[in-house]
Amino acid sequence: MWWGFKLELKKGIRTKKLWAVLLIMLLLYIPVIYLLKQGTGSGGEMSGEAAMAIMIQFITGMSMFFLGIVAIVMGATSVNKEIEEGTIRVVLSKKISRLSYILGKFSGQSVVFFGAVLLAVAVALAGLAYVGVDLTGNVVSDVLLLNLVLFMVMVEFLALGYILSTFLKSSGSALGVALVLFFIIYLVIPIFVQYEMYTHAPGDISEGGLRDLKADYYTKYIFYSPTAQVEVITSYVSDYREVKKTVDTPKGKVTYTKSIPTYNGVGHAIRTRWVNVLLLFLMSAAYLALAVVRFVRMDLR
Amino acid sequence: MAMLRIDSLVKVYRDVRALDGLSLEVKEGQIYGFLGPNGAGKSTAILGTLGLIYPNSGRISLLGKEVFRDGKFSEKALLEAKSKIGYMPEHATLWDFLTPYQTLDILADSFDIPRTERGKRIRELLETVNLWEVKDKKVGKFSKGMRQRLLLAQALINDPELLILDEPMSGLDPKGIAEFKEVIREQKKAGKTVFFSSHILAHVEEVCDTVGVIVRGKLRLEGNIKQIKENFLKKAGYLILLETNKPVSFEGVDWEVERVSPTKYKIKAPGDIREEVNDLVWGQGAKILQLMVRVPSLEEVFLSLVKEED
């Protein structure tokens, strides 16, 4: 396993995969930091919590989209491309077992992602410091945890890609299927699930209640989608406090309930939605196990 | 000891029977040429031997130990055998982003060759395949011939007891082929066993002790090249082309004679009858202008085996 890991790590760095992932993360972080700077430039001071809330709101969705594509595409072409090129036949003619090779390869690619994530954390923290946010322990841990959750999304998509790579012999076909599958998982299925959720939601449901309902639906029906799980987790970084407000209207006084979000942090969200974090782990393991079972029995020609 | 032994190996790809009960044995120190037309099952047999594909049934032993039986590989025995085997695949590229030195270094690492020995070994191999001068150039910039030579070098990295080469000379220029044959001869001198496949007789003729001919997944002929040719000639017959200065008569002989022109003949006989033809022509007071015997090519041997099968 160590041998495959080392080779994949070298590949990741020398073929610039690491840098591609990092570049995507930077392209996402830099505009957000710019926005934060604009916000603080108008005289107000920005707290770490407010900055984090903005960062999560802007970055999570976009980074899941771009990094998810990168990960599933990398996974979908990882084995079949090596069969096409013949390198896998050279490698497995050496004193290396199939199991150790695929696990080493997967670990190597995951570590490349992890390296990119750590660099992105450094950039995010530097950016927050630049806009004047006080880098308290909470802010640092939130940035780190947010990126670790994104890392888990990448790992799950990578494992999903491995399944395609071991079942589809042509890397070109696998690439196409991977992209279609990604869009189905990321966009199409959540739309149907949300539609179903809204049709069953009570009419007077509060914002917090709607969030809980969405979390239930996503956990139950899209447990295999890493992006859906992260969407659930990040929706819990803030809790809603309901405040009754009264306004004067030409028809008289009207009282309504307003949900005010209170930032609790990524750690709080992870603790609250540990089921979704567990699902990220379990589904990654399940996808990888399926790919491994297939790989150890497949004809490498 | 049999370095490679294959018994009744069967491999079916969907509805194609790529190996149809293939059996063969390669003894220690032998240079075994595995010949067959394209699609005969040569690569499938090699891939099966190394555990790179799963045969449906049969048995495989490597270096005296059984590695495959009843549709299952023994992972432990296979890994043990692989540590003493070198393999050069057909149609393979190595990592474009590495240099030949780095490529051999990382592959040497898989055999746990100590760092102190590794550098010396890599240098020797790169010099053997004439790539030492370009040891720091990226493999991505190599020509096909250079890539083939690097593939050979990687197969030798662990100083293997058994070298398995799949169509190693395809894509090489005549100089490259000559160098390749030299490497194989050196392996033989060192007492190593070489098993290599080809569909071109000329590639195996000079270097192999034994040749096996596979057609449609079965071994059809086995022996040394001379024996194979003789066996085939006995079956197919010799073709003798004769030209004389005046017409001659072939009455009383049991050869098949075709008169191409009044003084040109094609004679098909069970053996080399040039002396008898000479006596016959001179006996009739004629002179021989041309007398040639044509030995069938290996391609013709393949075709005749395929025809027999049909």
Side-chain angles (χ1 to χ4, degrees):
Chain A
M1 187 171 146
W2 179 234
W3 188 87
F5 173 78
K6 274 199 287 188
L7 176 69
E8 210 50 50
L9 208 57
K10 273 189 186 172
K11 239 195 223 179
I13 295 165
R14 294 192 189 179
T15 57
K16 302 173 185 69
K17 279 176 190 162
L18 168 77
W19 311 116
V21 175
L22 183 64
L23 183 71
I24 290 172
M25 294 191 101
L26 293 188
L27 286 176
L28 298 173
Y29 272 113
I30 289 168
V32 174
I33 289 164
Y34 177 75
L35 278 176
L36 291 175
K37 182 73 182 163
Q38 294 293 102
T40 53
S42 56
E45 255 190 27
M46 188 163 286
S47 71
E49 291 174 350
M52 274 310 297
I54 292 172
M55 200 172 253
I56 290 166
Q57 191 188 345
F58 280 95
I59 284 176
T60 314
M62 283 197 298
S63 57
M64 279 197 301
F65 178 78
F66 289 111
L67 298 175
I69 286 181
V70 168
I72 198 168
V73 163
M74 259 172 81
T77 54
S78 57
V79 173
N80 46 18
K81 196 150 188 266
E82 292 216 0
I83 295 174
E84 285 168 358
E85 290 173 350
T87 43
I88 205 161
R89 290 188 284 278
V90 172
V91 168
L92 292 177
S93 70
K94 311 293 177 219
K95 205 181 151 189
I96 295 162
S97 73
R98 289 191 186 207
L99 182 68
S100 69
Y101 178 69
I102 194 163
L103 291 179
K105 190 177 175 64
F106 186 82
S107 316
Q109 284 179 330
S110 302
V111 167
V112 167
F113 287 153
F114 190 70
V117 161
L118 286 185
L119 289 170
V121 168
V123 170
L125 290 175
L128 288 173
Y130 171 68
V131 297
V133 172
D134 189 14
L135 295 183
T136 59
N138 282 344
V139 172
V140 173
S141 78
D142 272 7
V143 171
L144 193 64
L145 287 173
L146 174 68
N147 282 283
L148 284 177
V149 169
L150 292 177
F151 165 70
M152 285 167 71
V153 172
M154 282 194 274
V155 169
E156 190 173 330
F157 272 122
L158 183 70
L160 188 59
Y162 265 60
I163 295 178
L164 299 178
S165 190
T166 51
F167 279 89
L168 298 168
K169 282 207 162 177
S170 150
S171 61
S173 308
L175 188 70
V177 173
L179 290 174
V180 171
L181 186 66
F182 178 80
F183 281 101
I184 290 174
I185 287 179
Y186 184 72
L187 288 175
V188 182
I189 295 177
I191 289 172
F192 284 109
V193 172
Q194 279 190 48
Y195 173 79
E196 191 66 12
M197 178 193 83
Y198 281 117
T199 51
H200 289 91
D204 58 343
I205 193 164
S206 67
E207 211 158 327
L210 194 62
R211 179 190 66 176
D212 292 343
L213 190 63
K214 188 178 171 184
D216 284 348
Y217 268 76
Y218 273 30
T219 308
K220 223 183 266 177
Y221 301 113
I222 337 180
F223 59 89
Y224 46 84
S225 162
T227 46
Q229 302 316 307
V230 172
E231 216 182 305
V232 170
I233 296 165
T234 52
S235 68
Y236 279 80
V237 292
S238 300
D239 271 336
Y240 293 96
R241 186 164 46 89
E242 298 198 339
V243 180
K244 287 206 170 171
K245 289 211 166 183
T246 308
V247 286
D248 287 323
T249 66
K251 288 181 182 174
K253 287 187 185 230
V254 174
T255 305
Y256 68 98
T257 311
K258 193 182 176 188
S259 295
I260 298 174
T262 320
Y263 183 81
N264 287 321
V266 183
H268 167 81
I270 288 173
R271 278 193 301 277
T272 314
R273 297 306 309 182
W274 62 269
V275 176
N276 304 87
V277 178
L278 188 65
L279 275 175
L280 283 173
F281 273 113
L282 291 180
M283 290 315 295
S284 300
Y287 290 152
L288 182 63
L290 185 58
V292 168
V293 167
R294 166 74 182 151
F295 179 72
V296 294
R297 286 294 303 180
M298 74 189 287
D299 286 341
L300 305 172
R301 64 182 276 275
Chain B
M1 178 177 70
M3 297 296 274
L4 166 63
R5 192 190 164 93
I6 295 174
D7 285 321
S8 314
L9 204 64
V10 173
K11 175 65 187 174
V12 181
Y13 293 119
R14 294 192 182 178
D15 51 351
V16 178
R17 219 170 162 82
L19 295 177
D20 188 12
L22 176 74
S23 296
L24 60 85
E25 190 176 300
V26 182
K27 293 193 179 74
E28 198 170 355
Q30 240 180 6
I31 309 289
Y32 191 106
F34 192 40
L35 286 165
N38 287 326
K42 301 186 295 291
S43 294
T44 303
I46 289 175
L47 294 175
T49 299
L50 293 162
L52 298 172
I53 60 162
Y54 277 79
N56 297 79
S57 61
R59 287 183 190 183
I60 301 167
S61 295
L62 286 166
L63 292 89
K65 282 190 181 164
E66 193 166 72
V67 295
F68 178 81
R69 190 181 183 169
D70 302 329
K72 278 183 191 165
F73 278 99
S74 157
E75 186 76 25
K76 197 181 162 205
L78 186 64
L79 281 179
E80 208 177 297
K82 278 182 187 175
S83 65
K84 294 170 189 164
I85 291 175
Y87 165 62
M88 176 183 168
E90 187 192 11
H91 309 308
T93 54
L94 289 162
W95 303 281
D96 283 353
F97 57 91
L98 295 178
T99 66
Y101 194 98
Q102 290 165 337
T103 303
L104 296 187
D105 186 49
I106 199 158
L107 290 170
D109 196 21
S110 70
F111 291 107
D112 301 324
I113 298 171
R115 284 232 161 253
T116 45
E117 286 173 36
R118 214 184 282 179
K120 198 178 151 216
R121 177 91 189 128
I122 292 171
R123 183 175 183 143
E124 271 172 16
L125 286 174
L126 289 177
E127 281 174 348
T128 304
V129 297
N130 291 324
L131 290 176
W132 179 249
E133 298 296 312
V134 288
K135 68 177 193 307
D136 297 322
K137 199 175 165 182
K138 292 267 162 67
V139 175
K141 290 177 182 163
F142 277 17
S143 67
K144 189 178 179 199
M146 289 161 93
R147 284 167 191 258
Q148 285 286 96
R149 283 186 270 151
L150 182 59
L151 276 173
L152 176 64
Q154 67 75 29
L156 296 167
I157 190 72
N158 54 332
D159 193 17
E161 296 297 315
L162 171 62
L163 187 60
I164 299 176
L165 313 169
D166 194 359
E167 297 273 3
M169 291 176 235
S170 68
L172 288 183
D173 58 15
K175 188 172 168 262
I177 290 173
E179 284 168 1
F180 219 99
K181 286 179 179 171
E182 194 46 45
V183 171
I184 291 173
R185 283 191 199 100
E186 276 167 21
Q187 290 292 307
K188 185 178 170 63
K189 267 188 218 161
K192 304 294 168 78
T193 309
V194 182
F195 177 76
F196 81 94
S197 74
S198 178
H199 64 281
I200 299 168
L201 176 64
H203 288 172
V204 299
E205 217 164 11
E206 289 171 37
V207 286
C208 290
D209 314 315
T210 308
V211 167
V213 181
I214 180 175
V215 179
R216 291 188 181 169
K218 261 187 189 163
L219 200 70
R220 308 290 169 168
L221 289 172
E222 196 178 36
N224 63 42
I225 292 264
K226 209 176 152 200
Q227 271 174 345
I228 282 188
K229 274 187 173 174
E230 276 171 7
N231 283 344
F232 173 71
L233 288 170
K234 267 182 203 160
K235 252 197 240 174
Y238 281 67
L239 186 68
I240 290 164
L241 304 169
L242 170 71
E243 189 180 357
T244 54
N245 65 338
K246 62 177 189 182
V248 288
S249 161
F250 289 90
E251 261 180 45
V253 295
D254 55 357
W255 315 321
E256 260 181 58
V257 181
E258 185 193 336
R259 192 184 289 264
V260 182
S261 75
T263 57
K264 280 187 182 172
Y265 310 89
K266 266 189 191 173
I267 306 164
K268 206 174 165 191
D272 188 356
I273 50 151
R274 276 178 292 182
E275 270 187 37
E276 288 93 320
V277 171
N278 191 46
D279 293 346
L280 185 138
V281 173
W282 283 96
Q284 292 182 32
K287 280 183 186 171
I288 292 174
L289 300 178
Q290 196 182 18
L291 181 61
M292 280 167 57
V293 63
R294 206 173 74 76
V295 178
S297 67
L298 192 74
E299 283 66 32
E300 285 169 301
V301 176
F302 292 157
L303 284 173
S304 86
L305 289 167
V306 172
K307 270 185 198 165
E308 262 179 36
E309 182 79 2
D310 291 337

